[in-house]
Amino acid sequence: MSASSTFNTNFKQYLISAKVKGAGIPAGLQELLLAVAHTCSTLSHEVAQGALIGLLGSAGTGNVQGEVQQKLDVIANDLLIDGVQGCKSLAGLASEEMELPLPVQGTGDYLLLFDPLDGSSNIDVNVSIGTIFSVLKKQDPAASLQTSDFLLSGRHQVAAGYVVYGPQTTMALTLGDGVVMFTLNKVTGEFILIKHAVEIAHSTEEFAINMSNMRHWAEPVRRYVDECLAGVSGERDKDFNMRWIASMVADVHRVLSRGGIFMYPWDQREPHKPGKLRLMYEANPMSFLVEQAGGASTNGDQLIMDMIPTELHERVSVMLGSKEEIERLQHYHSQV
Ligand code: AHG
Ligand code: MN
Ligand code: MN
């Protein structure tokens, strides 16, 4: 089957012509995003080879958060660093896989944060995984790079997105004026625009949560899920469907594609750890995308985008997706 001629704008052409609040995309940001996209296209190729090039399995190391690193976590991290550190517009980068930020030689003021490989538990079983990224601007361009430069709320993001490596390799991107999606043409290595103005329907009948943690959840989350499970015979008066891929990137891609909500809430196993997911390079970029697509994202008490981070690897409770459901969850949290 030949490629459809409907899709003929590549990522570079999109960035050149895109406008945010009437202004073009700064050349430095274009340079950085093109470098990220190029690296993710390389990574997509590597991911697809899997065992053939010895990519599966554990790296035998741990990251700063005490999690076992898979070989692909390490490879993806190295590829991204190599891919972006030549960008003149970049001041520094930070990653899930590195304790401290890395200054780069650029003279610009952009800061890049990333989860190089999201969904590590799915790598070896050939289920969709991804890369998540967030771009901030350094507040004091002249000062030497500090960890504190990255500790800005999600509202400061100038770009955010992810690339999901699934049956297709697809990138979702926001520059603060809606969400667009691109699919990688694996023959030419180009990301091609496939969707404008992505929108999450306000109501839904689909939720995603790791149900095995049910006994550990806080009461408002338990109430919400209990009501979904009760279906037409309960409070909600409609049946719900449940999906859980366990790669945030793939679960959020489903929410952006057909609505629904995704939750990784706080639970009482480790009361002092506010959730599993990381604020700076998982929750913030996903929340920016979801808000830009007309959805909402909360930790139960406040919108994630409004949270002021205190640590680079800070964790956060996450509930995001279709607006009516997130508002319901916020309401349940406000009643305790
Ligand atoms: P990462 O692979 O970057 O550490 O992230 C994994 C996260 C996220 O992608 C997913 O939603 C969640 O962990 C899965 O957690 P469970 O193991 O509890 O299913
Ligand atoms: Mn992750
Ligand atoms: Mn990761």
Side-chain angles (χ1 to χ4, degrees), residues 26 52 63 67 80 97 100 116 142 151 164-165 182 224-225 257 260 263 275 297 321-323:
L52 299 181
N63 66 12
E67 295 161 340
L80 273 157
E97 304 302 335
L100 297 171
L151 304 182
V164 58
Y165 311 111
F182 303 82
Y224 176 82
V225 174
S257 301
M263 295 172 275
S297 177
S322 294
K323 209 164 195 168

Side-chain angles (χ1 to χ4, degrees), residues 1 4 35 63 89 96 112 118 187 199 215 230 242 245 257-258 275 300 311 319 322 326:
M1 212 166 88
S4 162
N63 66 12
S89 56
E96 179 191 356
L112 177 70
D118 176 71
V187 178
E199 278 201 40
R215 68 192 184 284
M242 209 286 280
I245 299 171
S257 301
R258 69 173 191 210
E311 283 175 53
M319 289 160 261
S322 294
I326 300 303

